[in-house]
Amino acid sequence: MRRAVIATAGTVVGLVLLLGYRSEGAVKVDKVDAGAGTGSTNPGTNTTLGPGTNTGTNTGSSTATTVPTAASSSSDRTYTGQDVSYRYGDIEVAVTVDGSRIVTVSVPQDDAFSPYSQTVNSAAVPILVREAVAAQGLNFDVVSGATYTSDAFAQSLQSALDKASQ
Amino acid sequence: MGRVTSTVPTRAPADAARRQRYLYGLSQPTREGVVAAAVALGALGVMYMWWHDTSPASVYGPGPWLTAAGRVTGLLGTYLVVIEVLLMGRAPWLDRMIGMDRLAVWHRRNGEYLICLLVAHALLIIWGYAVTTHDGLLSETKSVVLSYPDMLAATVGLGLLVLVGVLSARAVRKRVNYHTWYFVHLYTYIALALSFAHQFNTGADFATHPLNRVIWGAMYGTVAALLIFYRVVTPLLNMARHRFVVVGTASEGPGLTSVYVSGRELGKLGADAGQFFLWRFLTRDGWWQAHPFSLSAAPNGRWFRMTVKALGDHSSGLATLRPGTKVLLEGPFGNFTTRWRRGRKLLMIGAGVGITPLRAMFEEAATASGDVTLLYRASNSDELGLRAELDEIAQRRGAKVHYLVGPRDEHPEYLTPNHLQRLVRDVVQRDVYVCGPPGFTATVNSSLRALRVPRRHVHTELFEL
């Protein structure tokens, strides 16, 4: 009995310490200033990947997230990438380019099959979109906790950019 | 270079130099500490893996906190399952380090702990997801179990593990017959197989980390290979090589039966007095079960003997074994041997079935050094099995035997420090070997402590299931 109490207490204390040291609170995504100084603030720039973000509006299917970075002009063209399936759903990314500049990135298709994945995506996708615009391509980080979504997002974006460069 | 054919060295009388070299002469607690430290180091490695893969950003708020706790308990629990299987994997080096009897105790404790960890893993993950999605626990459970890849199989696997754990809990184990317990215990392997896929396909630390997959896969692969080698290949090879066969049975007094097993080149097995084998008699009804029994006579290169008190169905059936019955022997196991003695003089204290390994050691030690004393405790003289043999050895080799006979309530003084001191004046200078029922062993050990016999000089074999 004494051994059970010690084992339980030790495990709980160990877990709390371990997690306590590893967590640093919310991740701050720095303001992405990719636009050409239009001064427009992007919606939800300081996004935290955590519970509660966007849960009210997101139903998990076909969320369109668009980040305009400049006033659209007549020379803009939109290309839709492949619908990429990944382990927890599928995602489709579209890109609007003006010449070689990425103007907006949007996600016409974002289906995640479990409520948990939907919640994760609803927080991660806006971050990915902003990062892609800011990086003007694929050179951005994976969003932690949403590795699969990030990979699939990058793949679909790649195929959209491929179409654009043809 | 030609290949060097290695042969198991035949046991020369233990000399001081060889004892010193043997595992650097580390004492039992030290050796246990070394093994425990190795296991703990592995656990730290697993924690590091999680630490390294988890970005601080993802451990935020109550939902992710719970989920992260679930991942840690899952990783640790699965690691310990692998350790659990290894502990009972019959690896001779583990046996030599800490002894099969201790391994069995570790196996039970580790088993209890890891099942708790894995149950916590499942609950924490589901709870964490439910908090994150603001969903009910039940619907989240349904979603996790049914829609995530390989989760259904893993859920069944966890259920099987819990079943194995419940049946092995001491209170339940006593009421379950051996057949049921044994076959349910085999479900552990099924549980391991069923839960393997979900680790790689949904586990955050594996799904996108090829290196972790390689490490984890190597761990499973190594332990599986060791298991097959030590539990299947080695016994079969030994059987082919030594052709173990029953040569006779003998009654050793009321309810006591000896079985003699012979074979070819038995000396090359390297068995020591005090060790035990797992005996599997290949009869129509008994081939599927192996039972641990100590050698009740010092190994002589010609035959092995075990002596059993008729208790369960299995042990009472042994008297009817026919000569010529083939036997599959696993072993030798146990480090309750004179190999670990620190000095020259020996004292052996035994009771009940605990007398069988002591009988073998008594014979061996009396032949080798002569300065041996044996104390044999029994509640009445009918229970003094093997008495004639012990008397004969004592007489021929000049060793001493004291019989402490009588009911416990009439003779509470037998195992007291004073009485032991009076029987064996130089008890403090002796290596003491204790074997018997748990209560008996505990009493003797506390008396030895009271007499200030150094801990390293006290050697006990635990009888615990």
Side-chain angles (χ1 to χ4, degrees), chain B residues 289-311:
Chain B
Q289 48 181 335
H291 287 274
F293 289 113
S294 296
L295 294 174
S296 64
N300 53 27
R302 285 171 292 126
W303 43 259
F304 292 134
R305 186 183 77 168
M306 65 171 214
T307 304
V308 194
K309 202 170 178 181
L311 286 173

Side-chain angles (χ1 to χ4, degrees), chain A:
Chain A
M1 194 57 209
R2 202 170 61 103
R3 201 175 287 123
V5 172
I6 293 173
T8 311
T11 309
V12 171
V13 170
L15 270 177
V16 169
L17 287 178
L18 192 67
L19 295 179
Y21 274 109
R22 183 80 292 201
S23 69
E24 289 172 3
V27 60
K28 293 279 192 299
V29 176
D30 290 336
K31 207 175 206 173
V32 179
D33 196 11
T38 52
S40 67
T41 337
N42 300 332
T45 304
N46 281 313
T47 308
T48 52
L49 176 53
T53 317
N54 290 349
T55 41
T57 53
N58 187 276
T59 53
S61 54
S62 303
T63 323
T65 314
T66 312
V67 179
T69 55
S72 46
S73 66
S74 54
S75 57
D76 289 357
R77 275 170 212 267
T78 300
Y79 300 90
T80 304
Q82 262 177 333
D83 186 22
V84 174
S85 297
Y86 58 103
R87 201 177 295 281
Y88 304 119
D90 63 87
I91 195 166
E92 188 183 79
V93 181
V95 62
T96 304
V97 294
D98 177 9
S100 64
R101 193 171 67 90
I102 297 178
V103 183
T104 61
V105 171
S106 63
V107 181
Q109 177 83 8
D110 172 17
D111 279 337
F113 60 58
S114 80
Y116 179 73
S117 303
Q118 286 159 17
T119 314
V120 167
N121 281 5
S122 66
V125 167
I127 298 175
L128 290 168
V129 164
R130 272 194 309 280
E131 285 188 342
V133 174
Q136 286 292 301
L138 290 158
N139 191 20
F140 56 84
D141 288 337
V142 161
V143 173
S144 69
T147 322
Y148 279 116
T149 308
S150 305
D151 283 352
F153 178 92
Q155 260 186 58
S156 185
L157 177 59
Q158 174 72 64
S159 75
L161 291 173
D162 287 348
K163 282 184 194 164
S165 64
Q166 272 164 16

Side-chain angles (χ1 to χ4, degrees), chain B residues 254-445:
Chain B
L256 220 54
T257 304
S258 283
V259 180
Y260 291 80
V261 167
S262 184
R264 300 193 302 189
E265 300 178 316
L266 293 188
K268 292 197 172 164
L269 274 170
D272 278 330
Q275 288 192 300
F276 67 92
F277 282 95
L278 291 169
W279 309 68
R280 190 187 292 271
F281 296 99
L282 304 182
T283 56
R284 217 170 48 129
D285 303 324
W287 63 270
W288 59 273
Q289 48 181 335
H291 287 274
F293 289 113
S294 296
L295 294 174
S296 64
N300 53 27
R302 285 171 292 126
W303 43 259
F304 292 134
R305 186 183 77 168
M306 65 171 214
T307 304
V308 194
K309 202 170 178 181
L311 286 173
D313 300 342
H314 176 76
S315 34
S316 51
L318 291 175
T320 62
L321 277 174
R322 294 221 183 91
T325 304
K326 290 201 168 84
V327 189
L328 210 155
L329 279 189
E330 283 180 67
F333 298 121
N335 56 13
F336 187 64
T337 68
T338 52
R339 220 178 348 198
W340 294 109
R341 65 202 276 186
R342 315 293 291 200
R344 240 179 54 79
K345 295 194 280 189
L346 297 177
L347 169 62
M348 298 172 183
I349 310 179
V353 284
I355 201 63
T356 50
L358 293 178
R359 150 71 182 79
M361 294 166 84
F362 188 59
E363 176 188 356
E364 185 195 66
T367 312
S369 76
D371 200 345
V372 194
T373 301
L374 174 71
L375 308 183
Y376 190 171
R377 176 80 181 90
S379 50
N380 65 63
S381 52
D382 280 349
E383 303 210 332
L384 288 174
L386 306 173
R387 177 174 190 167
E389 293 182 8
L390 293 169
D391 286 339
E392 192 191 327
I393 294 166
Q395 206 182 3
R396 274 209 266 167
R397 304 289 175 185
K400 288 195 197 85
V401 189
H402 296 287
Y403 299 102
L404 312 175
V405 184
R408 199 185 312 174
D409 44 347
E410 286 175 28
H411 295 280
E413 82 286 358
Y414 272 155
L415 302 173
T416 57
N418 276 341
H419 192 248
L420 291 181
Q421 174 91 69
R422 223 174 321 133
L423 285 173
V424 190
R425 298 228 164 267
D426 54 357
V427 55
V428 185
Q429 294 158 25
R430 289 177 182 260
D431 274 277
V432 189
Y433 285 80
V434 187
C435 192
F440 164 85
T441 305
T443 311
V444 172
N445 277 346

Side-chain angles (χ1 to χ4, degrees), chain B residues 132-155:
Chain B
T132 306
T133 56
H134 302 281
D135 216 344
L137 274 178
L138 272 181
S139 67
E140 193 59 53
T141 307
K142 202 175 127 204
S143 147
V144 167
V145 171
L146 296 180
S147 60
Y148 281 76
D150 306 310
M151 274 307 302
L152 195 58
T155 309

Side-chain angles (χ1 to χ4, degrees), chain B residues 16 39 47 85 87 137 189 238 351 367 370 373 403-404:
Chain B
V39 173
M47 293 297 92
V85 173
L87 287 175
L137 274 178
Y189 296 119
N238 276 342
T367 312
T373 301
Y403 299 102
L404 312 175

Side-chain angles (χ1 to χ4, degrees), chain B residues 90-111:
Chain B
R90 317 250 198 277
W93 38 273
L94 261 182
D95 177 44
R96 221 155 297 150
M97 283 293 275
I98 60 179
M100 229 27 134
D101 56 334
R102 263 80 175 176
L103 285 172
V105 174
W106 286 28
H107 181 79
R108 205 195 56 234
R109 289 185 191 152
N110 185 51

